[in-house]
Amino acid sequence: MKKRKIQTIIFYNAANNRKQFLLLKMNERRKFLWQNVTGKVEKDEKYSHAAIREAQEETGLKKKNIKAIFKSGMKYTFIDQWNKDVKEKIFFLECHGEWDVKIDPSEHCDYKWVDEKDISRESVHFDSNYRALLAAKELDN
């Protein structure tokens, strides 16, 4: 059976009507790479529930700050670093605005909000993260 994962693109619409995206920097053990929120889907858990849970665990996001969650329809299959088959689904999570982000140092060492006009291929390490950000930029909400 494939390992199930999610990738959650977190954003809010700023006063200038441009999306602001939250990116996380993985810690030294994970090579200081920038990425979106990612995580494992627990046994018997729905992908959409894992997308919200991981966002909350990795950023300190509170339920009251969640405006909407969208299933992107994007998914990837790949072999991970432990040689496991992985199926990853992508979600877009819109927030009401910024909050006091609290990262877990066992996974991440930094975060930043990035204006949609500043998103480039160099913004994140993994191509799937970049393609998901591009799709989220195009989202009409």
Side-chain angles (χ1 to χ4, degrees):
M1 184 162 103
K2 288 189 189 258
K3 184 175 171 182
R4 301 181 313 145
K5 290 192 71 175
I6 55 83
Q7 182 183 146
T8 305
I9 291 68
I10 297 175
F11 71 95
Y12 72 92
N13 285 302
N16 61 9
N17 208 27
R18 289 201 306 253
K19 291 180 180 77
Q20 306 298 307
F21 291 98
L22 180 62
L23 299 180
L24 303 177
K25 186 176 186 179
M26 293 187 273
N27 64 19
E28 181 177 18
R29 180 178 60 85
R30 300 168 89 200
K31 301 182 178 130
F32 298 119
L33 305 174
W34 287 95
Q35 67 172 17
N36 301 312
V37 166
T38 62
K40 179 181 171 188
V41 180
E42 301 294 338
K43 186 179 182 204
D44 298 326
E45 184 179 33
K46 292 182 179 183
Y47 279 93
S48 59
H49 293 168
I52 293 170
R53 178 185 49 76
E54 286 288 345
Q56 291 175 313
E57 289 175 4
E58 294 188 9
T59 71
L61 175 68
K62 302 290 184 213
K63 202 171 209 158
K64 67 181 180 184
N65 202 23
I66 297 172
K67 186 172 182 180
I69 186 161
F70 307 93
K71 190 187 297 186
S72 76
M74 299 172 74
K75 59 186 167 191
Y76 297 99
T77 57
F78 57 92
I79 305 294
D80 70 10
Q81 62 186 341
W82 299 280
N83 208 30
K84 302 272 188 204
D85 273 338
V86 177
K87 179 179 181 179
E88 180 180 69
K89 292 187 178 184
I90 313 303
F91 291 83
F92 305 141
L93 197 155
E94 182 180 6
C95 297
H96 292 289
E98 288 186 27
W99 66 94
D100 183 20
V101 174
K102 298 210 183 331
I103 55 175
D104 178 355
S106 70
E107 292 190 52
H108 301 99
C109 62
D110 201 3
Y111 73 91
K112 62 184 174 183
W113 289 98
V114 181
D115 188 286
E116 68 178 282
K117 71 176 180 50
D118 296 323
I119 293 292
S120 71
R121 180 59 193 91
E122 290 72 39
S123 298
V124 288
H125 178 75
F126 298 105
D127 190 56
S128 63
N129 283 202
Y130 177 60
R131 285 185 274 159
L133 285 164
L134 290 179
K137 280 175 58 172
E138 300 302 318
L139 183 66
D140 287 329
N141 51 322

Tab-separated table of all heavy atoms in Angstrom, residues 11 45 49 54-55 68 92 103 105 108 111 125-126:
chain	number	residue	atom	x	y	z
A	11	PHE	N	-2.274	30.435	2.337
A	11	PHE	CA	-2.206	31.804	1.829
A	11	PHE	C	-3.347	32.641	2.404
A	11	PHE	O	-4.302	32.119	2.970
A	11	PHE	CB	-2.270	31.820	0.298
A	11	PHE	CG	-3.623	31.458	-0.259
A	11	PHE	CD1	-4.545	32.437	-0.587
A	11	PHE	CD2	-3.981	30.128	-0.438
A	11	PHE	CE1	-5.802	32.116	-1.086
A	11	PHE	CE2	-5.232	29.784	-0.930
A	11	PHE	CZ	-6.139	30.780	-1.258
A	45	GLU	N	-7.598	8.408	8.301
A	45	GLU	CA	-7.805	9.853	8.245
A	45	GLU	C	-8.058	10.269	6.797
A	45	GLU	O	-7.445	9.736	5.875
A	45	GLU	CB	-6.565	10.575	8.785
A	45	GLU	CG	-6.702	12.081	8.872
A	45	GLU	CD	-5.451	12.754	9.443
A	45	GLU	OE1	-4.330	12.259	9.203
A	45	GLU	OE2	-5.610	13.769	10.127
A	49	HIS	N	-8.629	16.276	6.118
A	49	HIS	CA	-8.421	16.462	7.562
A	49	HIS	C	-6.931	16.529	7.869
A	49	HIS	O	-6.494	17.336	8.707
A	49	HIS	CB	-9.079	15.338	8.353
A	49	HIS	CG	-10.561	15.355	8.278
A	49	HIS	ND1	-11.344	14.312	8.703
A	49	HIS	CD2	-11.426	16.296	7.820
A	49	HIS	CE1	-12.624	14.600	8.504
A	49	HIS	NE2	-12.692	15.800	7.960
A	54	GLU	N	-2.049	19.042	9.720
A	54	GLU	CA	-0.622	19.321	9.517
A	54	GLU	C	-0.359	20.829	9.512
A	54	GLU	O	0.640	21.287	10.059
A	54	GLU	CB	-0.114	18.676	8.228
A	54	GLU	CG	0.053	17.173	8.329
A	54	GLU	CD	1.233	16.735	9.193
A	54	GLU	OE1	2.119	17.549	9.509
A	54	GLU	OE2	1.268	15.547	9.553
A	55	ALA	N	-1.245	21.604	8.892
A	55	ALA	CA	-1.084	23.061	8.888
A	55	ALA	C	-1.109	23.599	10.317
A	55	ALA	O	-0.306	24.468	10.682
A	55	ALA	CB	-2.174	23.715	8.047
A	68	ALA	N	-11.129	29.011	4.266
A	68	ALA	CA	-11.620	27.939	3.390
A	68	ALA	C	-10.479	26.988	3.064
A	68	ALA	O	-9.314	27.359	3.116
A	68	ALA	CB	-12.186	28.531	2.097
A	92	PHE	N	-5.263	23.675	-0.973
A	92	PHE	CA	-5.047	25.105	-0.788
A	92	PHE	C	-5.846	25.528	0.435
A	92	PHE	O	-7.051	25.286	0.500
A	92	PHE	CB	-5.524	25.905	-2.002
A	92	PHE	CG	-4.913	25.468	-3.311
A	92	PHE	CD1	-5.678	25.434	-4.453
A	92	PHE	CD2	-3.581	25.102	-3.400
A	92	PHE	CE1	-5.138	25.055	-5.677
A	92	PHE	CE2	-3.024	24.708	-4.603
A	92	PHE	CZ	-3.809	24.688	-5.746
A	103	ILE	N	6.490	27.583	14.673
A	103	ILE	CA	7.011	26.406	13.999
A	103	ILE	C	7.578	25.419	15.010
A	103	ILE	O	8.001	25.798	16.095
A	103	ILE	CB	8.077	26.784	12.952
A	103	ILE	CG1	9.194	27.619	13.573
A	103	ILE	CG2	7.444	27.498	11.764
A	103	ILE	CD1	10.343	27.925	12.646
A	105	PRO	N	10.524	23.243	16.034
A	105	PRO	CA	11.951	23.161	15.713
A	105	PRO	C	12.441	21.752	15.381
A	105	PRO	O	13.509	21.593	14.813
A	105	PRO	CB	12.640	23.700	16.974
A	105	PRO	CG	11.620	23.700	18.049
A	105	PRO	CD	10.271	23.710	17.389
A	108	HIS	N	11.245	22.397	11.493
A	108	HIS	CA	11.535	23.629	10.756
A	108	HIS	C	12.346	24.603	11.603
A	108	HIS	O	12.297	24.555	12.834
A	108	HIS	CB	10.224	24.293	10.311
A	108	HIS	CG	9.408	23.405	9.437
A	108	HIS	ND1	8.347	22.673	9.917
A	108	HIS	CD2	9.518	23.092	8.127
A	108	HIS	CE1	7.829	21.965	8.927
A	108	HIS	NE2	8.524	22.192	7.836
A	111	TYR	N	10.355	30.578	8.855
A	111	TYR	CA	9.200	30.708	7.971
A	111	TYR	C	9.229	32.099	7.372
A	111	TYR	O	9.923	32.999	7.859
A	111	TYR	CB	7.886	30.466	8.724
A	111	TYR	CG	7.503	31.594	9.647
A	111	TYR	CD1	6.697	32.640	9.210
A	111	TYR	CD2	7.967	31.640	10.963
A	111	TYR	CE1	6.362	33.693	10.054
A	111	TYR	CE2	7.628	32.669	11.808
A	111	TYR	CZ	6.835	33.697	11.347
A	111	TYR	OH	6.513	34.731	12.179
A	125	HIS	N	12.290	24.152	-2.776
A	125	HIS	CA	13.225	23.159	-3.294
A	125	HIS	C	12.578	22.186	-4.281
A	125	HIS	O	13.133	21.889	-5.332
A	125	HIS	CB	13.841	22.377	-2.128
A	125	HIS	CG	14.781	21.307	-2.577
A	125	HIS	ND1	16.044	21.588	-3.036
A	125	HIS	CD2	14.630	19.963	-2.653
A	125	HIS	CE1	16.647	20.463	-3.375
A	125	HIS	NE2	15.812	19.462	-3.152
A	126	PHE	N	11.407	21.694	-3.944
A	126	PHE	CA	10.787	20.637	-4.737
A	126	PHE	C	9.901	21.210	-5.846
A	126	PHE	O	9.126	22.135	-5.621
A	126	PHE	CB	9.960	19.706	-3.846
A	126	PHE	CG	10.793	19.004	-2.816
A	126	PHE	CD1	10.758	19.395	-1.491
A	126	PHE	CD2	11.639	17.957	-3.179
A	126	PHE	CE1	11.532	18.757	-0.536
A	126	PHE	CE2	12.427	17.315	-2.237
A	126	PHE	CZ	12.380	17.715	-0.912
